[in-house]
Amino acid sequence: MKKGKFLSAITMMAVAVSLFVSCGKGSGDNKPMTLEIYDVAANYQGMQSGWFAKVVKDKFNIELNIIAPQVAGDSIYQLRASTGNLGDIVILEATQFNDCLEAGLIKDISDKIKDCQNIMKFDKQISTFNKALPNNAAGKYYGIPTEMMDTSPTSVTQERIYSLPQLRWDLYNKIGAPQLNNLDDLLNALAEIRKVHPKNDKGDPAYPLCLWPDWDGGDGMIGIANVVQLTTWYGEKIKGSAILKPDGKFYPLTDANGTYYKMLQFLNKGYRMGIVDPDSGTQDWNSVCSKISNGQVDFIWYTWEIGFWNTINRYSDGTAFCFIPVMDQNYYTDSDAYFGSGRVFGVGSKVDAAKYKRIMEFLDWYASPDGAEYQHNGIEGFNYKKLANGKYEQMNDNALMDNLPVPEEFGGGGYSDGNNAINQWIVKSECTNPKTGEIYAPQYWASYKEKNMTQMRKDWEAKYDATDATNWMFKNNKLVVSPSVSVSLPSDDPDISVTRNSVNRAVCDWSWKMIFAKSQAEFDKMWNDMTEEVKGFGFDALYKFDCAKHQLEVDAKAKVK
C-alpha cells in the first residue's frame, strides 16, 4: 500500500470542496424521507437509531429502515420481490443481483452515477462489474460493488487475513508457549488453557471453542459457517458443494479426506476434550459477541472478532489476542478486494425521481472520505481526534465492545446500538484516506502503532521474526493468495436451487450432530449417513454445476497471476 505524504492546505481544501460538489448540491432543504434498504449484510432489522441516524438525518434529512433477511428469514426476499419493490436501496450477493436485474427490480443509474465524483473514483471496478452483467452490451450502470479497494488485484494489505488461529497472549505464555505443529498440538494447547483459565474474572465459565449456528448457509455456502472458514487454514476454499484446492482443482465437500471433514473432526475432538462451549449448538452470534467481550472465549478465528476484546490497554497488559501459527497450515486469503467483496449496491426500480436523487446523493457521500470515516473510524471527538500533523489518534477504542454511552451532541444512546446498521461499505477500510494519507482502519495509523508498540508486541515480533501475521506468512511461504476478479457467475435454476437448499440443510444438521458425537466411530457413521443422504438429494448434479460455475472464476484469476 502506497502511503501518501502530508496533504498541503490547498489539497485539503480541494478534498473538502469535492465532498460538497459531487452528485448534487446536498439535501439540507429537502423534505424528510425514509429510505428502505434491503440488506443481505445486516444483522439488525428496523429503523437505524442513535448516532449514525443523527448523521444521515442532519446531512440528508433521511431515515434508514433496514430490511434484513438474516433476521427476518429468506422468505422476506420472495415476499418483497413478488411486489416488484425489493427496496429503495438494495444490497445483494452478486448472483442474486443479476436475478433481480433480470426481474426488473433494479434501476439503471447511468444518468446520475457519472456525476457522483466519490463513487466514480472506482469507475474501473464499477464499469468492469456492470459490463459483465447479462444483456448489458451497452455498458449501462446498475450496480456498485461493495468494499472496493484502491490498490491492485493482487495486493494483500491486511496485517491479519480474514481467518487465522488467534490465542490470548497471556494464556498462551502461561502454558509455556508451545510450538504448534498441527491441529492436535493446537487442541492440546487449548485444553491446557482451559485448565488455567476455566472462568473469567467474574466467575463465568470460559471455553476456547465457542461456536454459533445462525450464520450457517449464508453467502451461498454449504455447511456450517464456523467450519467453512476453518478450511481456509489449509489453503482451500469452499465454493458451494465443491472445495477448491490451491492448484485450481475441485473436489466434493463430502470427501472424507478433505478439509471440511478435517476441520469438523477438529471441533469434535475439541468437544470430546471438554473445550467446546456447551451452548455452541443453540446460541446466536450476539451471545458469542457478549462472551468475547466478557472474557469467556479463549480462541478466535475471524480477524474482526478481536475488535470485541483487543484494546490498547490489553496490548499493554498482554491479554490481547494475537496470531499463533500452526506449522502444517498454509493460509488461504483473498487478495485486496480491488473489484469488491462479492456483494453489490443497487437502487430499486420503483423509486420516484425525488427519492432517486436523494439516494444517489447519499450513496456518493457514503463513498466519500467523510462517509468512510464515519463507517470505519466513528465520530470525531469521540472515537478519534485530529493531531497537529493532520493525522488521527484513536479515542475510546472500547466503544464498540462496551457499547459506551455517546454524548447527546452526537446522538446519544450506546455506541454499538447506534453503529451503522447497513453493515456494508463501498470503500473498504484498508483504502487510503486522502485527508490523512493513512489507511482508514485505525490499526494502520502511525499513532496507533506507536501506542501499540507494547512489550507484548515486541515479544511477539521477536519470537516470530515478523512485523505482523501476514508478514510472517509471506516470509515463511505460508500464504495462498487468490487474486481479485470481477466475474458474473450463473445463478441456480429451479432444480439446482431445490437441491442446494436440501443439501445445505442436511450438511448443516449432520455437521452439528457430528461436533457433539461421543466417539470417532459415531462421528464417522454420521459422516457416511450424511454423504448417503445428500447423494439422494442430487449432490452429484449440484457438485457438477458448482465446479462448472466456479471454473469461470478460477480461469479469470489465472489470467491475473
Side-chain angles (χ1 to χ4, degrees):
M1 172 68 73
K2 188 181 293 183
K3 302 295 177 69
K5 296 180 179 179
F6 295 151
L7 295 175
S8 67
I10 293 175
T11 305
M12 292 289 284
M13 290 171 62
V15 169
V17 169
S18 72
L19 301 182
F20 291 96
V21 300
S22 58
C23 215
K25 296 185 178 180
S27 306
D29 297 327
N30 290 345
K31 65 181 181 180
M33 185 178 290
T34 298
L35 301 182
E36 288 192 336
I37 304 180
Y38 181 89
D39 185 357
V40 298
N43 296 311
Y44 162 85
Q45 178 156 295
M47 299 298 296
Q48 172 73 54
S49 61
W51 67 267
F52 191 71
K54 177 174 169 55
V55 169
V56 296
K57 180 71 172 177
D58 290 350
K59 289 183 177 293
F60 300 100
N61 204 9
I62 61 175
E63 295 181 329
L64 307 177
N65 182 24
I66 311 296
I67 312 298
Q70 286 198 88
V71 177
D74 291 338
S75 61
I76 197 169
Y77 171 76
Q78 285 82 14
L79 178 63
R80 294 184 67 87
S82 67
T83 69
N85 183 14
L86 196 57
D88 301 321
I89 297 174
V90 298
I91 303 170
L92 300 165
E93 306 295 345
T95 301
Q96 194 178 40
F97 185 88
N98 294 352
D99 295 339
C100 289
L101 178 59
E102 291 186 4
L105 299 173
I106 307 297
K107 187 174 183 63
D108 176 357
I109 56 175
S110 304
D111 60 331
K112 289 197 180 295
I113 193 171
K114 293 196 175 176
D115 294 326
C116 297
Q117 295 179 14
N118 295 298
I119 292 175
M120 292 304 285
K121 290 174 184 175
F122 297 95
D123 184 39
K124 179 180 179 181
Q125 297 93 313
I126 297 170
S127 60
T128 298
F129 168 79
N130 282 279
K131 286 174 182 176
L133 290 171
N135 304 315
N136 191 28
K140 293 182 178 180
Y141 289 82
Y142 294 97
I144 303 167
T146 61
E147 299 192 58
M148 292 175 287
M149 283 285 288
D150 55 5
T151 52
S152 80
T154 57
S155 302
V156 179
T157 299
Q158 290 184 317
E159 294 179 347
R160 283 187 179 94
I161 63 172
Y162 189 71
S163 182
L164 69 173
Q166 298 168 106
L167 286 164
R168 270 182 48 174
W169 185 244
D170 60 325
L171 299 179
Y172 176 61
N173 281 282
K174 198 168 184 178
I175 64 168
Q179 177 169 302
L180 308 179
N181 294 310
N182 49 46
L183 288 176
D184 287 336
D185 285 353
L186 175 57
L187 285 170
N188 290 333
L190 296 179
E192 291 302 310
I193 285 175
R194 179 98 220 283
K195 291 177 184 176
V196 300
H197 188 246
K199 296 181 180 180
N200 68 1
D201 293 341
K202 301 174 184 176
D204 303 314
Y207 291 91
L209 296 171
C210 191
L211 316 176
W212 62 100
D214 51 315
W215 292 359
D216 294 352
D219 296 339
M221 73 179 78
I222 287 180
I224 64 176
N226 297 161
V227 176
V228 168
Q229 295 305 331
L230 296 181
T231 62
T232 61
W233 294 359
Y234 286 91
E236 300 185 353
K237 181 71 171 177
I238 292 182
K239 299 287 187 179
S241 59
I243 301 182
L244 176 64
K245 298 193 295 183
D247 63 2
K249 304 297 184 184
F250 295 101
Y251 69 90
L253 181 142
T254 52
D255 188 337
N257 295 310
T259 51
Y260 191 84
Y261 176 97
K262 184 183 186 77
M263 302 316 294
L264 193 61
Q265 185 183 52
F266 164 73
L267 296 178
N268 173 246
K269 285 183 177 179
Y271 165 72
R272 287 186 275 133
M273 295 170 73
I275 58 176
V276 172
D277 183 344
D279 297 333
S280 290
T282 55
Q283 65 191 350
D284 62 11
W285 159 247
N286 290 326
S287 299
V288 176
C289 177
S290 296
K291 287 181 176 180
I292 294 172
S293 298
N294 288 334
Q296 294 177 260
V297 179
D298 297 329
F299 179 71
I300 57 179
W301 52 84
Y302 288 108
T303 290
W304 47 264
E305 285 181 280
I306 63 174
F308 297 96
W309 177 260
N310 286 11
T311 62
I312 294 294
N313 289 338
R314 287 184 173 132
Y315 281 111
S316 297
D317 66 18
T319 61
F321 282 98
C322 61
F323 166 61
I324 305 296
V326 179
M327 300 308 295
D328 73 339
Q329 295 178 348
N330 291 290
Y331 301 95
Y332 172 98
T333 185
D334 291 309
S335 67
D336 289 353
Y338 183 77
F339 287 104
S341 63
R343 291 175 177 152
V344 189
F345 280 86
V347 178
S349 58
K350 300 296 185 183
V351 299
D352 60 27
K355 186 169 280 190
Y356 177 35
K357 177 176 182 292
R358 196 89 61 94
I359 287 171
M360 295 305 291
E361 289 172 358
F362 170 73
L363 289 178
D364 194 53
W365 169 82
Y366 204 64
S368 73
D370 183 48
E373 285 178 346
Y374 279 111
Q375 294 157 56
H376 303 310
N377 306 147
I379 309 164
E380 183 184 352
F382 180 72
N383 298 103
Y384 68 96
K385 62 183 176 182
K386 291 182 180 178
L387 302 175
N389 63 7
K391 299 184 185 296
Y392 297 164
E393 181 179 326
Q394 198 173 24
M395 304 164 57
N396 295 321
D397 65 338
N398 61 328
L400 183 66
M401 178 197 324
D402 294 335
N403 197 23
L404 292 183
V406 175
E408 287 300 323
E409 64 182 295
F410 300 128
Y415 182 78
S416 59
D417 292 338
N419 204 26
N420 177 8
I422 298 172
N423 199 36
Q424 191 73 82
W425 343 116
I426 294 174
V427 178
K428 204 166 190 297
S429 64
E430 285 81 21
C431 287
T432 297
N433 184 347
K435 294 184 184 181
T436 65
E438 294 190 313
I439 291 172
Y440 286 104
Q443 66 265 32
Y444 296 92
W445 297 350
S447 59
Y448 182 93
K449 289 180 178 292
E450 183 179 349
K451 275 187 177 181
N452 190 38
M453 191 45 69
T454 60
Q455 191 59 49
M456 171 185 164
R457 182 78 183 206
K458 293 174 183 176
D459 291 346
W460 188 94
E461 291 187 2
K463 180 177 177 67
Y464 295 110
D465 187 28
T467 57
D468 53 63
T470 303
N471 178 247
W472 181 90
M473 291 175 185
F474 270 124
K475 289 179 72 171
N476 290 277
N477 296 314
K478 294 287 188 180
L479 199 61
V480 178
V481 179
S482 178
S484 176
V485 295
S486 180
V487 180
S488 181
L489 301 179
S491 57
D492 294 352
D493 62 35
D495 289 341
I496 287 292
S497 179
V498 170
T499 300
R500 188 180 304 280
N501 289 335
S502 299
V503 168
N504 179 61
R505 189 161 48 248
V507 171
C508 289
D509 289 346
W510 279 111
S511 294
W512 281 108
K513 291 175 183 176
M514 279 183 265
I515 288 174
F516 297 106
K518 300 292 193 297
S519 67
Q520 184 64 46
E522 184 180 15
F523 180 95
D524 285 332
K525 184 181 185 305
M526 290 179 178
W527 180 271
N528 292 334
D529 289 345
M530 178 194 78
T531 301
E532 184 177 347
E533 182 174 330
V534 298
K535 275 187 172 293
F537 290 139
F539 179 88
D540 291 344
L542 177 63
Y543 173 66
K544 182 179 179 181
F545 175 87
D546 284 340
C547 287
K549 170 182 177 178
H550 292 287
Q551 188 64 45
L552 300 172
E553 186 179 29
V554 170
D555 292 344
K557 288 176 183 287
K559 293 176 183 177
V560 175
K561 295 177 181 177

